[in-house]
Amino acid sequence: MKRSDVGFLLGVALLVLISLGGAAVAGLGPDRAASPAAPAPAADDAIKMRVELTQGRVDEVRHTVQISMHNDGPAKLVVESLELQAPSFSGGQGRVRADAWLPPGGLQVDVPVSYGTGVCAGDAVNPRAKASFVAMSVRTDDGKVHDVRLPVADPNPMLDKLLAIDCLQAYLDHRATFTFGPWTHLPSGWVSGTVVIKRTGFAGTVTLQEFAGSIILEVVPTPLRLATPKPYAVLRPGQNELSIPIVVDGDRCTPHALAEIKKPYVFPTFVSFDGGPPLYTELKITDAEIAAFKPVIDACAAGHTQM
């Protein structure tokens, strides 16, 4: 699997997600994306606030968003607690303590919250998130605490994107799962194992077009490795499970990559059903994978794997 091939497929996946509702905001840098801030009515003359949702790469891993608050009024404010009220998601964090000081002048203050899991209807993979709000307890200089409820932008590209990601995964999970199998540590510093396709509800043909490694870990089929023809595997009607032998080794073992890595265990995968278009998913990671891959990453950092 050439890096250029993987880059092209990841580019396709990124374009799909952007079409579902990604947004980049100038001033937040390449690691941050945000929904547009919605103008909000003031709770009283002293409170003039607006909120937006932003998300960096670390938030993506943690399944969180940042509630970004701006104080556009003349008074100093303290947000004592807040809650993201997003009806298109369940199992969120609920009300969280913030104690966030907001000086006047529009300075942005962020508070991370877990937004939960998307609520998906049937096989919808391109849903639109329902109107959402941020409820806050805000203390003004006079010591009074005010209940404030501010809308986030609607439609909201950030929430649309997050909901689409969850609903696409739910759609895939109802048809087949794509996981790793048992691991064997090799003298080279690599580990060998399998990628397993298991049918969960779809009776037709399941095609695993390709899988790729993470920024640090390379995952390739054996014995042909990069010369393996695509698609990597086809689960045909009547088969319930299929395993693909693989090897995992260290890749891009540079100090910069090791220092900056935020997603060491994200393995992009493209699958299709009955000859349909490729769909993006990721190989599922459990504690067993983290335990198996850690020595590979350590050896990669020490330069001990055979590249």
Side-chain angles (χ1 to χ4, degrees):
M1 174 180 53
K2 297 181 179 178
R3 285 283 176 183
S4 59
D5 294 339
V6 176
F8 172 77
L9 289 172
L10 290 178
V12 172
L14 178 60
L15 288 174
V16 171
L17 290 180
I18 289 175
S19 70
L20 296 175
V25 176
L28 292 178
D31 287 355
R32 297 296 293 269
S35 63
D44 56 31
D45 291 339
I47 301 178
K48 294 181 180 178
M49 297 179 61
R50 54 192 166 93
V51 293
E52 59 186 332
L53 303 180
T54 63
Q55 190 180 53
R57 283 185 289 182
V58 172
D59 293 307
E60 293 175 9
V61 175
R62 295 175 178 172
H63 217 68
T64 59
V65 295
Q66 301 281 340
I67 296 178
S68 299
M69 303 171 290
H70 305 262
N71 177 9
D72 294 327
K76 292 182 291 185
L77 306 174
V78 178
V79 178
E80 295 188 339
S81 63
L82 52 75
E83 178 182 7
L84 175 62
Q85 299 178 341
S88 291
F89 297 83
S90 64
Q93 197 165 354
R95 176 75 60 154
V96 298
R97 192 75 186 174
D99 292 327
W101 290 76
L102 271 69
L107 178 69
Q108 178 176 314
V109 177
D110 299 336
V111 175
V113 298
S114 173
Y115 57 86
T117 303
V119 178
C120 307
D123 287 339
V125 295
N126 190 17
R128 175 178 164 182
K130 296 178 181 178
S132 301
F133 300 83
V134 176
M136 299 178 284
S137 296
V138 181
R139 176 162 47 85
T140 48
D141 260 355
D142 58 9
K144 294 181 179 178
V145 177
H146 308 257
D147 290 328
V148 179
R149 189 171 186 257
L150 302 178
V152 298
D154 181 44
N156 192 281
M158 171 67 70
L159 293 179
D160 285 350
K161 182 190 77 169
L162 297 176
L163 182 60
I165 290 171
D166 284 355
C167 290
L168 175 58
Q169 192 58 57
Y171 172 86
L172 293 170
D173 288 344
H174 291 154
R175 283 152 179 76
T177 59
F178 306 87
T179 62
F180 287 111
W183 299 105
T184 299
H185 289 271
L186 304 176
S188 61
W190 306 342
V191 291
S192 65
T194 56
V195 168
V196 181
I197 309 172
K198 185 175 294 186
R199 193 182 301 278
T200 56
F202 181 73
T205 300
V206 181
T207 303
L208 197 161
Q209 303 284 353
E210 183 177 5
F211 48 75
S214 71
I215 191 68
I216 292 292
L217 298 169
E218 184 176 49
V219 181
V220 290
T222 57
L224 298 180
R225 293 176 64 92
L226 297 178
T228 303
K230 303 179 184 67
Y232 282 170
V234 178
L235 185 67
R236 303 192 181 282
Q239 289 179 286
N240 290 324
E241 187 173 323
L242 182 62
S243 296
I244 309 160
I246 61 165
V247 66
V248 179
D249 64 15
D251 191 21
R252 294 189 63 189
C253 301
T254 65
H256 176 75
L258 291 165
E260 294 296 322
I261 186 170
K262 295 179 175 65
K263 295 182 176 182
Y265 305 122
V266 173
F267 301 94
T269 303
F270 294 86
V271 303
S272 60
F273 299 92
D274 277 346
L279 300 174
Y280 176 84
T281 186
E282 294 166 3
L283 295 174
K284 294 187 183 300
I285 296 297
T286 68
D287 290 342
E289 277 67 62
I290 294 175
F293 295 159
K294 186 179 184 305
V296 180
I297 294 177
D298 291 345
C300 176
H304 294 159
T305 56
Q306 297 177 11
M307 302 301 295

